[in-house]
Amino acid sequence: MTTVNIIGTGNVAWHLAKAIQPLSQYELKTIAGRSKKGLASFTKLAHSCVLLDQLTAADITIIAVSDDAITEVSKTLSYNSGLFVHTSGSVDITALSGFKQYGVFYPLQSFSKEDQVDFKEIPMCIEAGSDKGITMLSTLGQALSKNVTTITSEQRRQLHLAAVFVNNFSNHCFTLGQELCEKHNLSFDLLKPLLHKTAQKAIMQDPAQSQTGPAKRNDYHTIASHLELLEDEAYKNIYTTLSKAITTYYGEKL
Amino acid sequence: MTTVNIIGTGNVAWHLAKAIQPLSQYELKTIAGRSKKGLASFTKLAHSCVLLDQLTAADITIIAVSDDAITEVSKTLSYNSGLFVHTSGSVDITALSGFKQYGVFYPLQSFSKEDQVDFKEIPMCIEAGSDKGITMLSTLGQALSKNVTTITSEQRRQLHLAAVFVNNFSNHCFTLGQELCEKHNLSFDLLKPLLHKTAQKAIMQDPAQSQTGPAKRNDYHTIASHLELLEDEAYKNIYTTLSKAITTYYGEKL
């Protein structure tokens, strides 16, 4: 039985705790937080919930706190045995190199606390300071997910950046589409089949192959009339920047 | 039995012809095109395929050609009986007001010829110059789709613009995410569960509620390190424009 501590009371900590708790080969020993308030909802998941300075050693300690807090939290810990990992997309593995055994256990997904999360479908990106660490994280990763990949800190940073484009930026485009609908008394439901199809095509085939629209076909007449329809400067700016990017991208590919 | 002509040999014409052909209440009379080459693949769908100047009247004539060609095509027609509609998201209904009966029959989806298309799920946006026209288009729309909505030309233009954000711009963000992966020897498959989840959340709940990421939480440190990772000026420009837009959007909502 491998013992696991989780540090943090945010969304990643919550979903990792819920996913690790039922695993027969693992014992979720303790959840540690910086305040009692955050820990309240975790009491049924682990054997104990404690404040950070009371945490005692486990085979694996998962530091699932915000990027900025990783270093500070790791300095507060009173033990240096077992494997320590953080769960961040952007923080280098060396942030934990003060520990004898260290690594990264990065679930590539955007979590909200109320989400139903199926860890089987979430890519687990792992990295460790030693082969033993890779073996431990690979075993835990495979107990949770169908997809465990070993990547470097540099690759992880690039992947996190790519995720900003795939999730944050595309989601803001959806939001602006919805705002435009609401402003003109149109239900956003009208665009949902298109949104679904857009994602489905990007997943099933190369998104570049599915690109359509006025910018792709250099339809300056439609682009000009769209810019006229957009009253807000911020919208115009996004429209122009992305249209130029699309025109350039496909122009260069010709 | 209502007779239907379709003018055009592009993707919209193709999928409309395939969807109308099996309807028991409708007879797909003729497909008309500007060249014999384009018509070749349509021969099994309609009773006849002819060049544009040989087309004879039907109860409904659907002009499914590119925006720029609508006016020219409508001038070429040798009859003015029955209802004439175009299928464009951006062209005003008045483009067809030279006909006695006219309207718009706009399927809100992005079509490729090889797609499997389920018209039941595609919102049909209709508009007509008379109540009789609305009734005819509503009946045809409901034979094809679960979702038929009457909207004005102005609303349709706004909807088409919103569709550019929801489909064209988000898809380009997916493309850039894929490029970043490939550049760093990472499989785009790693990002597909996130892409799927992003779309699913935008469909199931308000996309604004699902927004996450460095720009949303004003994490300038991560934004700066991402800009450093992006070597290409075009990427930097998109990253900056969208991050500012997100920061402003949620800053103003606070």
Side-chain angles (χ1 to χ4, degrees), chain A residues 168-176 238, chain B residues 211 242 245-246 249-250:
Chain A
N168 302 168
F169 292 167
S170 67
N171 191 65
H172 194 56
C173 292
F174 299 153
T175 301
L176 296 179
I238 292 173
Chain B
Q211 189 67 45
L242 281 164
I246 292 169
Y249 185 91
Y250 292 94

Side-chain angles (χ1 to χ4, degrees), chain B residues 233-245:
Chain B
E233 282 303 319
Y235 279 74
K236 277 188 208 283
N237 192 16
I238 293 172
Y239 190 98
T240 307
T241 303
L242 281 164
S243 292
K244 271 189 193 161

